[in-house]
Amino acid sequence: MSQATLHVLQTCPFCWKVRGLVEHLGLDVQEVQVNAMRTKKDLAFTNGWNKVPVFTDDEGEVVVDSTPIMVHIDKKYNNGTLSKHSGDERYDSMLAHIDEAWKRATIPILYGSLGTALSTTRRVSKLEKFGFISRRLYAWAGFPVMWGIIARKRVKKDGRTPKKLWHDLLTEYTSTFEGHSFFGGQEPNLVDFAAFGYMRSISPFKQFKILEEHEHGMRWYNAMKSKLK
Ligand SMILES: N[C@@H](CCC(=O)N[C@@H](CS)C(=O)NCC(=O)O)C(=O)O
């Protein structure tokens, strides 16, 4: 047995997915912060995957890709309780939807306008591990790339403002609860933790206040927060 580790970038939404599950289960997992400019070198042990999160369990097994990592953790340390409905249409299609639509929604809200792109890039440069020069370089050179090239294209393609997009996602998601507090019912399941991770990844940024305006979404988000240890 050895110490389980989770290699992360501080602001990566996929890392937040796994982090929430680890906190919920109260697992002893050491977070290793990867250098944002050196992911390839820091993640050389992943045989070419080179992306975070990477989970190494207490027996040394390396698992990559956030949703498979969550399933692995749930099976190994939680008797598969959170993913017991895997294989059911309702569960599978919502998990796939979250991993597609919620993932796509993170960039527009963080970088969708010139002002938000600048403030997000500055904040990322403070939160992530960089070298002395690359931190300053990223703070200034990162935002025209994220805003001008990536985010603008996505916002235009979707056609909705980032606020409308997120409020639609939250309305759609919370309307499937069938009177319960969570998608999983009285208690959250793995789908809830995946969605929670994407939403929580916005929380270090000021744009989170846009999400705080969604009443049902926040009721669910706060109920999820209360499930963390
Ligand atoms: N499908 C993967 C996506 C992981 C991913 O794209 N991570 C980004 C950070 S948010 C990354 O590590 N990028 C570094 C790179 O591609 O070099 C997951 O869900 O874990």
Side-chain angles (χ1 to χ4, degrees):
M1 291 286 162
S2 53
Q3 168 78 60
T5 57
L6 182 65
H7 282 73
V8 298
L9 282 168
Q10 218 38 260
T11 56
C12 164
F14 312 105
C15 297
W16 281 104
K17 283 167 63 186
V18 179
R19 204 177 256 157
L21 180 59
V22 166
E23 285 176 52
H24 170 63
L25 298 176
L27 301 178
D28 179 19
V29 175
Q30 188 196 346
E31 275 200 7
V32 182
Q33 210 178 333
V34 165
N35 183 319
M37 293 290 168
R38 270 201 344 222
T39 48
K40 211 168 165 181
K41 200 166 164 210
D42 288 355
L43 300 170
F45 67 97
T46 62
N47 296 327
W49 177 257
N50 296 339
K51 290 179 195 168
V52 289
V54 178
F55 180 68
T56 307
D57 72 21
D58 58 359
E59 290 179 292
E61 187 178 344
V62 175
V63 190
V64 298
D65 208 357
S66 55
T67 294
I69 293 173
M70 293 174 83
V71 172
H72 179 83
I73 291 176
D74 183 46
K75 290 224 164 89
K76 189 166 172 103
Y77 302 102
N78 191 39
N79 298 319
T81 309
L82 297 171
S83 48
K84 68 171 184 253
H85 289 295
S86 170
D88 294 359
E89 163 64 16
R90 178 177 181 271
Y91 174 104
D92 287 354
S93 62
M94 185 56 90
L95 184 55
H97 171 70
I98 297 287
D99 270 337
E100 187 48 43
W102 289 48
K103 174 182 90 179
R104 245 188 295 119
T106 58
I107 298 260
I109 191 168
L110 293 179
Y111 299 95
S113 71
L114 193 59
T116 56
L118 184 57
S119 78
T120 299
T121 318
R122 287 264 175 92
R123 184 108 181 92
V124 168
S125 81
K126 289 202 177 89
L127 292 170
E128 294 296 357
K129 188 170 158 184
F130 283 103
F132 180 80
I133 306 274
S134 56
R135 181 181 307 281
R136 281 152 185 80
L137 203 65
Y138 181 82
W140 289 103
F143 91 91
V145 177
M146 294 308 292
W147 170 68
I149 301 172
I150 303 169
R152 264 203 313 184
K153 223 186 255 169
R154 287 205 196 171
V155 173
K156 204 169 153 200
K157 195 168 166 211
D158 185 81
R160 286 171 287 183
T161 62
K163 176 176 175 173
K164 174 91 173 89
L165 167 58
W166 269 95
H167 281 220
D168 284 354
L169 290 176
L170 287 168
T171 301
E172 173 196 57
Y173 186 61
T174 52
S175 70
T176 63
F177 288 5
E178 297 163 350
H180 298 298
S181 301
F182 304 100
F183 179 78
Q186 304 286 47
E187 292 296 327
N189 68 9
L190 199 120
V191 177
D192 287 299
F193 280 100
F196 178 61
Y198 287 114
M199 182 159 167
R200 199 175 172 207
S201 75
I202 314 297
S203 68
F205 302 96
K206 63 180 186 193
Q207 293 89 313
F208 193 68
K209 65 175 186 298
I210 295 175
L211 307 187
E212 286 175 329
E213 289 168 23
H214 194 283
E215 190 191 333
H216 288 156
M218 280 315 285
R219 197 179 301 151
W220 162 78
Y221 183 84
N222 287 327
M224 288 300 293
K225 256 171 88 179
S226 76
K227 297 290 173 186
L228 306 179
K229 286 183 183 139

